[in-house]
Every structure is written in structure tokens, then in C-alpha cells.
Amino acid sequence: MNCQHLAIIMDGNGRWAQNRQRGRIWGHRQGAKQVDEIVTACCEVGIPHLTLYAFSTENWNRPPIEVHMLMRLLVHHLRTMDKKLIRNRVQLVVQGGVDKLPMFAQKELNRVMRMTSFPSPRLKLNLALSYGGRQEITEAARRIARLVEQGKLTSEQVDENEVARGLYHPEFPDPDLLIRTGGEYRVSNFLLWQIAYAELYVTETLWPDFGKADLLMALDEFGLRERRFGKTSAQVSQLPAQEARL
Ligand code: FPP
């Protein structure tokens, strides 16, 4: 299993709460607790990059009370999470239209990011907040357009590396595995550029129930996948050409 970057769409908080005749916020609260378990599990199994889809650009369209409660929950959780992050040498980073978050949330995020800016973290935890993959690619395109306007780049020099340089965290490798909880088969505008060759794993388990054992199961299945990156099976298993029955 070589998973350098795990990305997760944490879905199902609302259904988890509704199944228990509780309000959606209760599900989000439980979901936030699961974040801790999965962060710790990633440290234990040696995954160095984790990106969590915590709030999408589309989530702004939810009822204002739910949006407000999610922001408060994020801040409340960061306040209790910081010591654990430091103990496990986890560096917090964020990506998305973070300037659109309420100031109290931005301040708390900045505080925890400052406190956890380790020179060699065990895990980089990337929270996607007010994030959309199309928005990220659009911003990368705008950066290139500016460089061309300024004469620092010609159109011929625009290649995939140049686009990737304009993404929020170009230092992150592309995700090896994308997990979606809650049983929906969609990518929902998450890391559209970066997941070109990610392995997809969808589980019916709702996010508040997704624990370390579920993560290990997903990683086991990931370990069985053959990642060909467009090559043939023989090429990736380095069989001689004659054995590949050309
Ligand atoms: C999707 O479930 C979940 C979200 C939109 C929010 C995810 C947020 C958390 C897990 C808490 C964030 C906390 C930290 C510390 C990052 P849904 O509401 O769409 O569920 P449903 O599909 O069942 O309605």
C-alpha cells in the first residue's frame, strides 16, 4: 500500500442524524469527532497527506442556520483539536475561498495553522473550505493569463505543470485514493484536476460511522488495485514484452 495522499468526501452527517430522529447539526457534530479518529489513524498507518472536503462552494446554499452552525462547529472543534494536532505533529493547512468564511473562523484557522507549522510534519492535514474544484482551476487559469499579460510566459509555455503550479497546494502530490462515504457515486466538484488517476472508493457507511477499521478496509482494497496510469497490465508489472502477448 503506497498512499501518499488520501482525499475524503465526508458525506452522510445529515442522514446519520435523521436516522436517529435528531437534527442535522447533531450529525455534523458527530462527523467532526470522526475527523479526529481518521487523522490519528492516518498518522498511525503513515499516510503523509490528507485532504478533507469540509465545506464546498455549493454548501453556501444550505439554510443559513446550518451554515452558521457548521462554522461555529469548525471553530469549536479546532479549539479542542489543536493539542492533539501538536502531539501528533500534524500540520494544518486549508484550501478554498477561505476569505469568504466569517472572520471568527478565519482567525481560528490562522491560529491553528501558525501553531502547527512544523518544519517536517508527520501528516499534512488539508481542510477544503468554501472549496470548489472548478473555482480552483479557474484561479489557476487566471494566474496564467496574468503571467502571459505581463510577458513572463508565452502561450506555448503553458503546460500541465504550469496549471498545477497555480493550484492551492501544488506541493501536495495528487491523491492516490479518494474515499466517499454515504454511498453516492459522484465527485461533487472535489479536486477535479488532482484526481485524474486517483482510485475511487465509495462506501455506504455514513461519515459519523466511518472509523479506523473502515479506513483500513478501504486501504486494503486500494492495495489490491492495479494502478496502470494508462499503461498495460504487463508494463506495470514489468513483464518482458513477449510474455505480454503483444
Ligand atoms: C456532508 O454531509 C457533510 C458536510 C457538508 C460537512 C462536513 C463537516 C464535518 C464533518 C464537520 C467539520 C469539522 C471539521 C473539524 C473539519 P451532509 O450534510 O451532506 O449529509 P447528508 O448527505 O446525509 O445530508
Side-chain angles (χ1 to χ4, degrees):
M1 193 273 301
N2 182 17
C3 184
Q4 291 295 308
H5 183 183
L6 169 66
I8 307 185
I9 301 177
M10 309 181 286
D11 196 16
N13 294 346
R15 277 166 285 163
W16 187 89
Q18 278 156 6
N19 291 345
R20 289 160 179 78
Q21 282 78 48
R22 302 289 292 262
R24 300 176 53 81
I25 304 299
W26 197 62
H28 292 314
R29 208 169 287 145
Q30 211 52 43
K33 287 186 190 154
Q34 274 334 88
V35 168
D36 288 357
E37 176 164 344
I38 295 305
V39 169
T40 306
C42 284
C43 289
E44 286 166 3
V45 300
I47 294 173
H49 302 89
L50 172 65
T51 299
L52 299 177
Y53 206 4
F55 194 84
S56 71
T57 43
E58 291 74 24
N59 286 152
W60 289 113
N61 300 322
R62 291 198 172 197
I65 182 69
E66 182 169 343
V67 171
H68 178 71
M69 292 306 283
L70 270 169
M71 295 300 148
R72 281 188 46 182
L73 175 63
L74 172 72
V75 166
H76 176 79
H77 202 75
L78 285 169
R79 281 194 189 126
T80 56
M81 201 186 184
D82 56 357
K83 287 176 197 62
K84 253 178 272 170
L85 294 181
I86 291 167
R87 207 181 313 127
N88 283 327
R89 225 167 6 96
V90 176
Q91 177 178 9
L92 179 74
V93 297
V94 291
Q95 69 174 30
V98 180
D99 55 332
K100 295 190 183 63
L101 300 182
M103 203 39 88
F104 67 87
Q106 291 186 45
K107 272 190 185 153
E108 188 58 19
L109 285 164
N110 286 333
R111 183 186 73 80
V112 180
M113 283 195 288
R114 267 198 314 273
M115 283 181 78
T116 60
S117 60
F118 302 105
S120 55
R122 193 169 168 197
L123 169 72
K124 280 191 182 187
L125 167 63
N126 181 17
L127 288 187
L129 287 162
S130 187
Y131 173 82
R134 287 184 173 184
Q135 173 187 277
E136 181 178 30
I137 295 168
T138 304
E139 285 184 25
R142 203 175 291 138
R143 169 189 161 273
I144 288 174
R146 270 197 305 270
L147 290 174
V148 173
E149 266 172 16
Q150 293 162 1
K152 293 179 179 161
L153 203 66
T154 65
S155 55
E156 284 69 33
Q157 286 169 322
V158 178
D159 58 11
E160 290 188 12
N161 290 332
E162 202 52 56
V163 178
R165 260 194 279 280
L167 301 177
Y168 291 122
H169 284 292
E171 78 282 12
F172 268 54
D174 286 347
D176 298 294
L177 174 63
L178 168 64
I179 295 177
R180 179 169 189 144
T181 63
E184 313 270 14
Y185 286 76
R186 315 188 257 279
V187 292
S188 299
N189 203 11
F190 188 41
L191 304 177
L192 295 182
W193 178 273
Q194 299 91 327
I195 60 169
Y197 281 100
E199 294 296 320
L200 307 183
Y201 179 90
V202 176
T203 170
E204 292 295 321
T205 304
L206 304 174
W207 175 251
D209 286 328
F210 189 85
K212 183 178 176 183
D214 302 274
L215 174 67
L216 294 180
M217 219 149 74
L219 291 172
D220 277 351
E221 190 185 312
F222 168 73
L224 299 174
R225 305 262 181 102
E226 182 186 64
R227 305 189 72 201
R228 293 197 293 275
F229 300 98
K231 294 183 179 173
T232 67
S233 193
Q235 282 177 304
V236 291
S237 57
Q238 290 169 328
L239 285 174
Q242 59 271 33
E243 282 181 46
R245 295 206 196 119
L246 286 173

